[in-house]
Amino acid sequence: MGKLWKLWVLLLMIGIGLVAWNVSRQADQERIVYDDEQKGLQKQIIIYFSHVVAENTPKGLAAQKFAELVEQKTNGRVKVEVFANGSLYSDGEELDALLRGDVQMIAPSFSKVTELIPEWQVLDLPFLFRDDDDVRRVFTGKVGAELLGMLEEKGIKGLAFWSNGFKQMMGTTRPLIEPDDFRGLRFRIMPSEVIDKQFRLLGGEPVAVSFDHVYRALEQHEFDGQENTISNIYSKGFYKFQPYITISNHGYLGYAVMMNRSFWDSLPKEIQQKIAEAMTEATQWNLRQSKAQNERELQQLKQQKSVQLYLLSEEERKRWEQKFAPLYKEFTRQFGSRMLNEIKEFRE
């Protein structure tokens, strides 16, 4: 009986040992799987892409498209997280945030870049572009590459130019048709020396206000007018406060898509290539989308009973161009005529 008891105890101990070994083995296997997963997650590259406009605008939609393309082309290795409507950084904060490395990508308007590189003022000159094909040729051609290259020494990787559309004039109390119609009125503008001078030539009082504060400023009746694209006017509801819209196509609102240079340099070459491919596809998509969206939303604005649209005639347009001629002379005096000549040659 004593021997049987000892045998039983021995078998029980062996059984307990086998159970413990099996539990330990399963735990090790689970840890191995977990570690493999963690290793994979650590390899994933996250890019924060901050911008200040709505998701349903040409820039907002292009940012989403770019994020989708990057994830597809890298098989999920790279994830672009898009923060719209200034939810991460405001219009006036995002460039500094990029330079500090607090965010990896932004797409500010040309006007914001002129503060960093004065030569970019060329893109704010009124009546620089004739039509959307003109814009596409300049953005994706020699001049566009040259302008993006100027960002290198500032610690920025210039990736592409994106389009929003042609700018139109808006008024609160009356149509803006002749240059004299602007006299004495207060206008919201983007921070830009050229745009500031443009409105001063018209006799107006320009005040720079960041995009994320425009709606509130209009609610409080702080301005008599502004310039903006149809897509921004419609998506943000600016027409509710400034119903007199002149279809002037006098300027162009576009964006420079850029990445922190140090972050870009840290990426593997094959990832850089995939991102560049995604950017090329997203840019071509954006150029088509922005044109279609502005045309579609112009038709929707025409359905708004409170909105009064006026199409600038060719004769009226020429009078505006004559008024703005000093801006071209000033730009040429500061930076020479080479870039302007290249734009004219390239688009022709």
Side-chain angles (χ1 to χ4, degrees):
M1 184 70 177
K3 291 181 179 180
L4 289 173
W5 172 256
K6 289 181 180 179
L7 181 60
W8 184 84
V9 170
L10 180 60
L11 290 172
L12 180 63
M13 292 178 65
I14 291 173
I16 293 172
L18 287 171
V19 171
W21 176 80
N22 189 53
V23 170
S24 176
R25 182 170 174 270
Q26 289 179 348
D28 287 340
Q29 289 177 337
E30 290 173 0
R31 280 196 293 271
I32 290 171
V33 172
Y34 177 75
D35 288 341
D36 284 345
E37 289 176 352
Q38 286 299 101
K39 188 176 181 181
L41 286 173
Q42 288 171 0
K43 286 184 177 179
Q44 188 178 52
I45 299 167
I46 307 296
I47 298 175
Y48 282 7
F49 188 168
S50 172
H51 68 80
V52 301
V53 299
E55 293 95 331
N56 60 342
T57 57
K59 178 165 67 171
L61 293 169
Q64 295 172 40
K65 183 70 173 179
F66 171 70
E68 293 168 6
L69 289 168
V70 168
E71 188 164 8
Q72 291 170 10
K73 290 179 178 295
T74 63
N75 294 318
R77 174 85 183 276
V78 181
K79 181 176 177 58
V80 179
E81 296 190 5
V82 180
F83 297 85
N85 278 310
S87 58
L88 197 59
Y89 292 101
S90 71
D91 199 15
E93 298 170 336
E94 59 180 6
L95 186 55
D96 287 339
L98 181 80
L99 293 172
R100 292 194 307 267
D102 293 342
V103 64
Q104 288 74 48
M105 282 186 72
I106 60 173
S109 64
F110 302 149
S111 301
K112 297 298 296 183
V113 184
T114 62
E115 300 173 5
L116 194 66
I117 305 175
E119 289 89 340
W120 277 53
Q121 292 179 47
V122 67
L123 296 173
D124 276 335
L125 288 171
F127 298 112
L128 181 69
F129 301 112
R130 298 171 301 183
D131 52 35
D132 289 286
D133 288 337
D134 199 6
V135 171
R136 177 183 53 78
R137 287 191 294 269
V138 172
F139 279 11
T140 61
K142 178 182 175 182
V143 173
E146 180 181 348
L147 290 168
L148 291 173
M150 293 178 183
L151 295 168
E152 295 286 330
E153 64 183 32
K154 303 296 183 180
I156 296 170
K157 172 64 178 178
L159 296 173
F161 286 114
W162 281 358
S163 164
N164 185 309
F166 281 93
K167 293 187 288 186
Q168 322 302 340
M169 288 295 187
M170 304 181 69
T172 303
T173 59
R174 66 174 186 253
L176 302 171
I177 300 170
E178 296 292 339
D180 284 344
D181 294 334
F182 293 79
R183 190 168 303 278
L185 300 183
R186 184 178 171 90
F187 291 88
R188 176 266 165 179
I189 66 167
M190 296 183 291
S192 164
E193 185 176 345
V194 169
I195 297 175
D196 183 279
K197 290 178 180 178
Q198 169 189 286
F199 280 97
R200 293 191 186 281
L201 283 172
L202 293 169
E205 179 190 353
V207 180
V209 175
S210 63
F211 185 79
D212 46 313
H213 291 146
V214 173
Y215 191 90
R216 185 178 62 188
L218 295 180
E219 275 188 317
Q220 297 174 356
H221 308 289
E222 295 180 11
F223 298 99
D224 303 304
Q226 65 167 310
E227 59 174 10
N228 226 313
T229 63
I230 292 297
S231 62
N232 280 347
I233 292 168
Y234 186 79
S235 67
K236 285 294 189 180
F238 294 156
Y239 63 89
K240 299 174 185 176
F241 306 99
Q242 296 180 334
Y244 296 94
I245 302 174
T246 302
I247 306 302
S248 54
N249 291 338
H250 65 280
Y252 204 84
L253 177 56
Y255 309 104
V257 189
M258 53 181 68
M259 186 175 286
N260 177 279
R261 180 73 204 204
S262 296
F263 177 79
W264 172 262
D265 290 340
S266 72
L267 297 174
K269 294 297 182 183
E270 65 273 16
I271 294 298
Q272 290 181 352
Q273 181 179 348
K274 296 298 183 183
I275 290 175
E277 290 175 5
M279 182 57 64
T280 297
E281 290 185 30
T283 298
Q284 293 299 325
W285 183 89
N286 161 259
L287 291 170
R288 296 190 302 270
Q289 166 68 24
S290 61
K291 182 177 185 294
Q293 184 170 349
N294 278 283
E295 290 174 352
R296 182 176 65 252
E297 293 180 352
L298 176 59
Q299 296 305 314
Q300 292 172 329
L301 278 176
K302 289 180 178 179
Q303 306 304 315
Q304 301 292 327
K305 294 182 179 179
S306 62
V307 173
Q308 296 190 36
L309 290 165
Y310 184 87
L311 177 62
L312 209 63
S313 70
E314 188 61 32
E315 293 75 17
E316 290 160 346
R317 175 190 172 96
K318 287 179 180 178
R319 288 196 284 272
W320 286 36
E321 289 180 343
Q322 291 170 359
K323 198 73 174 178
F324 293 144
L327 295 174
Y328 280 79
K329 293 179 182 178
E330 176 67 15
F331 181 86
T332 302
R333 187 187 65 79
Q334 289 188 46
F335 306 108
S337 59
R338 181 185 60 82
M339 187 171 292
L340 281 172
N341 290 336
E342 286 180 358
I343 290 174
K344 292 177 181 179
E345 290 173 5
F346 191 73
R347 73 185 185 185
E348 293 172 357

